[in-house]
Amino acid sequence: MNEITLLNTVAARTSYRHLADEQLDDAANKLVQYFTGDKLLIIYRISKGKLYDTENQLELPLTALPWLKDTIINGFWRQPSAGGLPKDQHSVAATFSGEEILLGRSMNAGDYAKPGFKIVNKSRKSHIMASRPQEFQITDERVESVLLPLLSQLGIT
């Protein structure tokens, strides 16, 4: 597993293909950008502050993406009676390309009272705090409007 730097400069982005931008607020202070490379999907995010900006990113092996999509749609979003995950199961984990990925259901996924998911790569260190793993929260609404279309664009069915 190769460590990569934050994709916050033109030079850092040269090895990756830009997929999409997602503005999370009207003031353009919160931005999420999606990139892909030979082996990774990278979700870079920046929150612009008055004194300084906070930047972080989640790096996911491309091999994890079919599992991620299937687990969201057929696991968490499907009723247990229809083959979905048990109602009391709030997270699942699996290993892809030697990296442990955790997908957890959240009732406050980055926004208060907005259900969604927390995606964690337990094998990679956060760019903000090296003692913590990389993670990203995304609401159900953003999964439907941004993440799932991006996965389709990458050929993940």
Side-chain angles (χ1 to χ4, degrees), residues 98-114:
E99 299 186 45
E100 185 180 1
I101 308 301
L102 175 81
L103 177 63
R105 194 71 170 124
S106 174
M107 292 301 112
N108 295 295
D111 285 322
Y112 181 73
K114 296 276 187 168

